[in-house]
Amino acid sequence: MSLLQKVNSSFTTNSIIALCAIGISSFSIKMIFFPYGVPVVEDGLFYFRYATDTSIIGQLPPTLISNNGWPLFLSIFFSVFHSNNFLDYMTLQRLLTVLISTVTIIPVYLFAKKFVESKYAVLSTLLFAFEPRTIQNSLLGISESIYILLVTFSLAFFLSSRKNLVYLSFAIAALAVQVRYEGIFLFFVISIMFFVKNKKERKVMPRYLLALSIFVLTMTPLSYAKIVTGNGETTTDGLISGAQVYGSEAGSTNGVFGALHYVFTGIKELVRYLG
């Protein structure tokens, strides 16, 4: 069976109609609340500036940033879009996050279909598409929309019956790390799941080493570019610097009790993110 046939087999006529209806309805609701003419703020503004600089100079700007996956993706659209009004670019930024959030219903459906029947998978998609916080977040122009899309696609491909799609799952997980550092937890999770899923297979280690190589090779170009331009932290630097900040705060806050508080908080957050 070809890949196209396998993809088609995942969607029935009824599910396609239902997903189209859900997507159009979700997109329409988001556009009703779309803040036309309102500048993006906070993280959205920082991503906007980075994407604008990248599109203008044609390379990574010397700007300190932790995760540049989203603004780099955004800069592609900025480079082909032309306007004399900066608010038009901010509108484009928000429109992209709305579209990405709407498209996410596809991997959500594929992921849910691995556990439940098609009709219940459509219901799961419906709940995601109209979740108020998802709608609100998609209007901010920030990185969460594309991060959720990448994470969901990675999990859906990992659970696919086609073994080769597992490697694509690791590549997408690497892209998720470039968008948000929390993506590293996805890598740990699918690594553990890989061994659990293939525990009876004799060549599990060579296959995992291949998957690991794909993950590393996907991350390397952006990480190397950030090191060369000196414009931000690599994933390792970010994790280390974060630990140093919490370590210094723990040592200066209520002595031993403050340190224990940070330790227990760290353990709680680790379990939560892995979960």
Side-chain angles (χ1 to χ4, degrees):
M1 184 181 294
S2 66
L3 177 60
L4 181 59
Q5 289 174 322
K6 280 187 172 290
V7 172
N8 289 336
S9 66
S10 299
F11 297 91
T12 63
T13 301
N14 290 336
S15 66
I16 292 176
I17 295 175
L19 289 177
C20 288
I22 292 172
I24 293 173
S25 301
S26 177
F27 180 78
S28 300
I29 290 176
K30 291 168 184 173
M31 295 310 294
I32 291 174
F33 294 99
F34 197 93
Y36 296 97
V38 178
V40 294
V41 295
E42 298 179 347
D43 288 348
L45 179 60
F46 192 74
Y47 293 136
F48 171 80
R49 291 175 55 189
Y50 190 93
T52 303
D53 291 344
T54 304
S55 64
I56 292 174
I57 66 177
Q59 61 183 24
L60 297 184
T63 304
L64 183 63
I65 187 171
S66 298
N67 300 105
N68 61 352
W70 164 237
L72 283 180
F73 178 77
L74 185 61
S75 68
I76 298 174
F77 294 88
F78 281 5
S79 63
V80 298
F81 179 79
H82 301 287
S83 175
N84 294 324
N85 188 347
F86 77 95
L87 284 176
D88 291 339
Y89 288 92
M90 291 185 172
T91 299
L92 175 61
Q93 179 176 348
R94 281 196 170 103
L95 182 60
L96 285 172
T97 54
V98 167
L99 289 172
I100 290 170
S101 178
T102 304
V103 171
T104 305
I105 65 175
I106 296 175
V108 167
Y109 172 80
L110 293 174
F111 178 69
K113 199 170 181 294
K114 297 297 179 182
F115 302 96
V116 296
E117 297 179 17
S118 179
K119 59 182 179 181
Y120 297 117
V122 170
L123 177 60
S124 301
T125 304
L126 184 69
L127 294 174
F128 171 82
F130 295 102
E131 207 283 323
R133 288 169 295 184
T134 301
I135 295 175
Q136 183 182 31
N137 187 271
S138 68
L139 301 174
L140 301 178
I142 54 180
S143 61
E144 272 77 357
S145 293
I146 193 170
Y147 175 72
I148 294 172
L149 175 71
L150 292 171
V151 168
T152 313
F153 258 127
S154 178
L155 290 172
F157 286 148
F158 182 87
L159 296 174
S160 172
S161 58
R162 290 179 60 88
K163 291 185 177 181
N164 290 339
L165 289 182
V166 172
Y167 302 117
L168 182 57
S169 172
F170 278 84
I172 295 176
L175 295 178
V177 176
Q178 297 295 343
V179 174
R180 292 188 64 87
Y181 282 148
E182 291 88 343
I184 196 67
F185 287 97
L186 173 63
F187 167 71
F188 292 145
V189 167
I190 61 177
S191 293
I192 296 171
M193 290 169 60
F194 185 89
F195 287 103
V196 173
K197 184 179 179 181
N198 301 285
K199 58 185 178 182
K200 296 182 179 180
E201 193 171 312
R202 296 179 60 184
K203 298 181 179 180
V204 59
M205 185 55 69
R207 287 190 61 208
Y208 177 74
L209 291 177
L210 176 59
L212 178 61
S213 300
I214 292 174
F215 176 84
V216 173
L217 290 174
T218 304
M219 287 192 60
T220 299
L222 277 180
S223 299
Y224 178 75
K226 290 169 71 175
I227 293 173
V228 171
T229 57
N231 73 335
E233 300 174 328
T234 63
T235 303
T236 305
D237 293 334
L239 294 174
I240 293 175
S241 61
Q244 290 175 340
V245 169
Y246 276 94
S248 61
E249 290 181 358
S252 60
T253 307
N254 297 327
V256 176
F257 293 103
L260 289 175
H261 169 74
Y262 275 92
V263 170
F264 287 123
T265 300
I267 294 174
K268 180 185 71 174
E269 294 300 314
L270 175 63
V271 173
R272 185 166 70 91
Y273 276 114
L274 278 176

